Amino acid sequence: MNIFMMILVAIFMVGFYMISSPSQRVQEQETEYAINRSDLRAIAQCASAAHNAQIKGTKFQDICIEQNSITSQYICLNSSKQITDCEITRNKKPTYSYIITMSAPLDANNYNNMLEVLEEDFPDAGSFGIFLDGKIMAGGMANARSVPDAIIDELGLTNGQLIYFTQYEIPDEETVFTAAVQTDIICPVGTVKTYRFGRWQCIGINTKMDCGGDMIWDSELLQCVADESKKPLCAEQQTAVLVDSVWECVNPFPEKACPDNMIARLNYTTLEWECVADPNITQDVKKCQTTSRGAIFGAIGTTLRVPAASSCTDCEVMITDPDTCATACIPDPTKINNPECYPGNPRECNDASHAFYFGFPSASYAANVSAIQGHSVPFDTAHSQNRKFNCMDCGDGEIDSERSVPPYIAICK
């Protein structure tokens, strides 16, 4: 009997040791930590998915939205940082526009674990963190971002909420132009229908034209042709040809032999054949004797002044089209250090939230700049049209690197 009791005691002691051993307690604690981290990561992923759906204009529907009380909405502020409507009123946009996603408050014991999740899984998310005392605490070494008081009061933010905060730009409204309906007209014989001054008009056809030299007007071909009645009688072995619209007698069979890459041509001044370069071989080099300078840009219908020398500012450089000899002004990036072009310190406008842009006055002006071909140039109240270099300040936001082309274009995310 004693032996049987000893066996029972030994079995009980071994079981108690196995259950309460340190290795078993560590395994249980590690499992609880992994489960907690997984739950926190699921909350962060759900908030990120809802936020991205709001940015794209879609809706994210999942059970995690209701479980964690996650909401996402637009918030806009005016220049006084007061709540305003997120719409364009009288061609004026709100000064600040945000997309904010928030969750239910987290347990205070999970703050550090959530910050670790954000640092590992969302290092490039920007302002994505826990709301504490008016600031968003993000993971890693990122600085805390302050939230305007008007937004805190409007949304009723409390400590411990998971907040995803993104600044965005309201897109410009598309302008639709509609042409006025014009009644069709029937023009009498001798006139042609032409659209002038916003309406259809009947304009008389020019049926006669004065021709110079030995040319005469052909009413059927509607062009000047050679007047055969003025064709002269030429000497033997000569023939009458039109030279600059005038009949002349020339020898059609030159006896002059020319070297390679040259051809015989009649000198109409001396009526002698001479050797000249073959125009089919020699390239035609275009040289601009005069240039056609562009006028100062202005709205259609306004009176524009064309300067005597150049319409370019100190911040621009003139380019010339070798084919048309027309000139245009384009921004000169080397003039950023010129106080007349940018009065501030250029080094202070080169970080994640600051970038240079040029004040393009019109779309036709920007079309001359090859460096921004394929990119959209904004023409709104946030961008100056002063034909100088300006610094775009995105505040707490960031420069959109995909849409910006410094120092010509700068757009905030």
Side-chain angles (χ1 to χ4, degrees):
M1 185 68 179
N2 293 333
I3 295 175
F4 180 74
M5 292 298 296
M6 291 178 64
I7 294 174
L8 290 178
V9 170
I11 293 174
F12 175 78
M13 293 298 292
V14 170
F16 178 79
Y17 175 78
M18 292 295 294
I19 294 175
S20 61
S21 63
S23 62
Q24 294 296 324
R25 291 199 301 272
V26 171
Q27 181 178 2
E28 181 179 356
Q29 291 176 359
E30 290 181 352
T31 303
E32 292 178 356
Y33 174 78
I35 294 174
N36 185 39
R37 287 291 296 270
S38 177
D39 293 340
L40 295 177
R41 184 180 294 107
I43 297 174
Q45 291 174 345
C46 185
S48 176
H51 191 76
N52 292 332
Q54 186 74 11
I55 293 176
K56 297 177 180 179
T58 59
K59 191 173 182 180
F60 177 70
Q61 296 179 343
D62 191 90
I63 190 63
C64 67
I65 296 293
E66 298 180 1
Q67 291 176 342
N68 301 285
S69 300
I70 295 175
T71 59
S72 184
Q73 65 185 85
Y74 297 97
I75 293 291
C76 295
L77 306 178
N78 56 20
S79 58
S80 301
K81 292 191 176 180
Q82 299 298 322
I83 300 297
T84 185
D85 295 333
C86 293
E87 59 184 18
I88 301 176
T89 305
R90 296 179 181 178
N91 295 327
K92 185 177 181 181
K93 300 180 182 179
T95 306
Y96 306 97
S97 47
Y98 305 96
I99 297 176
I100 301 178
T101 301
M102 53 189 176
S103 71
L106 303 174
D107 189 285
N109 296 327
N110 291 328
Y111 286 177
N112 291 334
N113 291 337
M114 177 58 80
L115 292 177
E116 291 179 0
V117 170
L118 296 177
E119 181 181 1
E120 293 178 1
D121 299 336
F122 303 91
D124 301 324
S127 300
F128 189 17
I130 301 175
F131 179 78
L132 290 174
D133 300 330
K135 296 182 179 180
I136 298 177
M137 308 299 295
M141 301 300 294
N143 296 327
R145 173 167 182 172
S146 299
V147 180
D149 295 336
I151 295 180
I152 297 177
D153 297 337
E154 178 72 13
L155 301 180
L157 299 180
T158 58
N159 289 344
Q161 286 185 278
L162 187 63
I163 303 295
Y164 204 152
F165 199 89
T166 299
Q167 186 174 4
Y168 78 103
E169 181 179 0
I170 298 178
D172 295 328
E173 295 180 348
E174 294 184 358
T175 302
V176 179
F177 297 95
T178 57
V181 178
Q182 299 291 331
T183 57
D184 195 10
I185 60 174
I186 299 176
C187 294
V189 178
T191 61
V192 64
K193 184 172 67 173
T194 306
Y195 192 78
R196 299 178 60 192
F197 307 111
R199 61 188 180 89
W200 289 105
Q201 299 180 10
C202 295
I203 306 298
I205 302 176
N206 184 10
T207 58
K208 187 175 181 180
M209 180 176 179
D210 294 331
C211 301
D214 296 332
M215 307 288 285
I216 189 173
W217 178 256
D218 191 323
S219 59
E220 294 181 359
L221 299 178
L222 298 180
Q223 65 181 9
C224 292
V225 297
D227 187 356
E228 296 292 336
S229 64
K230 296 182 179 180
K231 185 174 182 180
L233 297 175
C234 297
E236 188 178 357
Q237 295 183 351
Q238 286 189 336
T239 184
V241 294
L242 279 174
V243 179
D244 296 331
S245 301
V246 178
W247 288 110
E248 290 187 7
C249 293
V250 298
N251 185 356
F253 305 105
E255 299 177 355
K256 191 173 184 64
C258 295
D260 295 338
N261 299 331
M262 299 186 73
I263 61 174
R265 187 177 64 181
L266 180 65
N267 187 330
Y268 296 109
T269 303
T270 61
L271 293 180
E272 294 181 356
W273 292 93
E274 57 186 12
C275 294
V276 296
D278 189 349
N280 297 323
I281 299 177
T282 304
Q283 295 182 353
D284 185 17
V285 179
K286 297 181 179 180
K287 297 181 180 179
C288 295
Q289 300 296 333
T290 59
T291 57
S292 173
R293 295 185 174 90
I296 294 177
F297 289 89
I300 297 177
T302 58
T303 301
L304 303 180
R305 176 178 58 87
V306 180
S310 170
S311 61
C312 298
T313 66
D314 294 337
C315 311
E316 300 167 332
V317 63
M318 179 181 290
I319 60 173
T320 303
D321 190 329
D323 294 327
T324 64
C325 299
T327 63
C329 298
I330 63 173
D332 187 356
T334 62
K335 297 297 182 66
I336 291 182
N337 295 318
N338 187 345
E340 297 294 333
C341 300
Y342 182 69
N345 184 0
R347 296 182 179 178
E348 297 178 356
C349 190
N350 185 18
D351 53 35
S353 60
H354 296 79
F356 277 110
Y357 74 92
F358 188 79
F360 290 106
S362 65
S364 59
Y365 182 106
N368 296 318
V369 184
S370 59
I372 60 174
Q373 296 300 319
H375 294 271
S376 177
V377 179
F379 295 97
D380 49 32
T381 56
H383 292 77
S384 176
Q385 287 86 39
N386 58 1
R387 296 178 71 180
K388 296 182 179 181
F389 290 97
N390 306 270
C391 185
M392 174 59 68
D393 184 1
C394 295
D396 295 333
E398 297 180 355
I399 295 293
D400 192 335
S401 59
E402 295 182 358
R403 301 169 59 192
S404 301
V405 186
Y408 303 104
I409 302 175
I411 301 176
C412 295
K413 286 188 177 180

